Amino acid sequence: MSEPPAPHPWFDASETPRVLAHRGLVTDDALSAGIVENSFAAVAAAHAAGAIYLESDCHLTRDGEVVLFHDDELLRIADDKRRIDEVDLRELEQLMAERGGLVTLAQALDSFPDVRFNIDVKADAAAEAAGTIVGPFADRVLLTSFSDQRRRRALESALHANPAQRPATSAGSATVARLILALTIRSRRGVAAALDGIDALQLPERHGALRVVSPRLLEAAHRHGVEVHVWTVNEPDDMRRLVALGVDGIVTDRAADALALLKV
């Protein structure tokens, strides 16, 4: 088997294990003050705590702006029943003003130049726009989505904006399913095909009764130069156990605690 390709520049910022701040960092005090996930304040808090890697999500507003937001609607965050794609940027800025402040994808990349962003494209409509924004920052962005089709569209758009460097990427659900099947039937060719063009696997440790992150999966991923990041891990004992197992990154709501615990 040929040597795996050199790691993408996204991985150059630190040694493993990596701590990925899940939707930024919202402490208990910040939560009490009304600060919410994926806000400007949450991103700034993760940065201030020393997080180099930040996981976030993006959607497209009605007027075509890519914003950091997880849900496709405002109900959970702002007690508003509208969808993100039904709201203009200015309206969303007003809604988020007392919740930590709205941040667009472009603002995040410009405002935090030493942060590596892990961007999950949540909406089909956001794929091309997100890719175009990310293109000039491809060395410090990992693009992903549960939808492999959406992920590939975002990557194509990013490459069109910056042909010199594609963003890093992690596998979508269909690719992960193909990998697990190939591992189950012990098809080395199937494993190689599933991991082709993939820089990271970002997975839950378990999916229902199925154990997803296993020694066999870790060995196969590492053999192909692919990292394994596990989400969402908040308990210290689980962090220690998974790092001892060999995972390369922890996606966590408690980035400050994880950085101190894992000393990275």
Side-chain angles (χ1 to χ4, degrees):
M1 187 184 75
S2 60
E3 288 295 318
H8 187 279
W10 188 85
F11 300 92
D12 292 347
S14 78
E15 301 295 325
T16 57
R18 308 182 197 284
V19 172
L20 286 79
H22 186 231
R23 307 180 194 175
L25 175 62
V26 181
T27 64
D28 291 341
D29 288 344
L31 190 62
S32 299
I35 305 302
V36 299
E37 64 190 40
N38 280 336
S39 62
F40 191 95
V43 175
H47 178 254
I52 298 171
Y53 294 97
L54 188 139
E55 187 275 346
S56 192
D57 317 275
C58 69
H59 279 274
L60 197 71
T61 64
R62 183 169 60 186
D63 51 347
E65 295 288 341
V66 182
V67 294
L68 299 193
F69 223 90
H70 178 270
D71 300 359
D72 60 4
E73 62 181 17
L74 290 159
L75 186 61
R76 180 173 63 88
I77 294 299
D79 197 28
D80 187 315
K81 294 182 179 180
R82 290 177 296 174
R83 294 172 53 89
I84 300 296
D85 58 14
E86 296 173 334
V87 182
D88 290 341
L89 179 67
R90 181 172 294 182
E91 294 177 271
L92 198 53
E93 286 175 335
Q94 292 171 348
L95 283 168
M96 290 291 289
E98 296 182 356
R99 296 175 169 87
L102 181 70
V103 58
T104 68
L105 176 57
Q107 287 170 341
L109 290 165
D110 283 333
S111 300
F112 300 95
D114 52 349
V115 170
R116 299 296 204 267
F117 284 91
N118 189 126
I119 300 297
D120 185 348
V121 183
K122 289 293 188 186
D124 289 341
E128 282 83 2
T132 298
I133 292 166
V134 161
F137 306 93
D139 60 331
R140 59 186 184 93
V141 176
L142 185 151
L143 276 175
T144 189
S145 176
F146 283 110
S147 164
D148 278 301
Q149 183 179 26
R150 188 185 305 148
R151 174 180 66 86
R152 292 188 184 105
R153 283 170 52 207
L155 286 171
E156 289 169 4
S157 181
L159 265 174
H160 182 75
N162 177 15
Q165 175 72 69
R166 71 163 176 83
T169 191
S170 68
S173 299
T175 298
V176 172
R178 287 196 295 124
L179 172 64
I180 291 174
L181 175 60
L183 289 169
T184 301
I185 64 175
R186 299 183 183 275
S187 169
R188 293 176 72 91
R189 181 177 297 178
V191 168
L195 293 177
D196 184 38
I198 298 298
D199 300 291
L201 296 169
Q202 297 181 328
L203 311 160
E205 184 178 5
R206 292 181 176 275
H207 181 70
L210 174 66
R211 182 175 182 84
V212 178
V213 179
S214 65
R216 186 187 300 175
L217 180 141
L218 285 161
E219 186 278 329
H222 291 161
R223 177 161 31 92
H224 289 273
V226 175
E227 290 201 0
V228 178
H229 306 156
V230 182
W231 51 263
T232 301
V233 185
N234 291 332
E235 295 302 322
D237 287 347
D238 291 333
M239 295 177 190
R240 293 189 189 94
R241 177 176 53 78
L242 288 165
V243 168
L245 184 65
V247 306
D248 305 287
I250 298 292
V251 184
T252 179
D253 297 316
R254 300 176 180 174
D257 295 341
L259 288 164
L261 177 72
L262 301 177
K263 294 181 173 58
V264 293

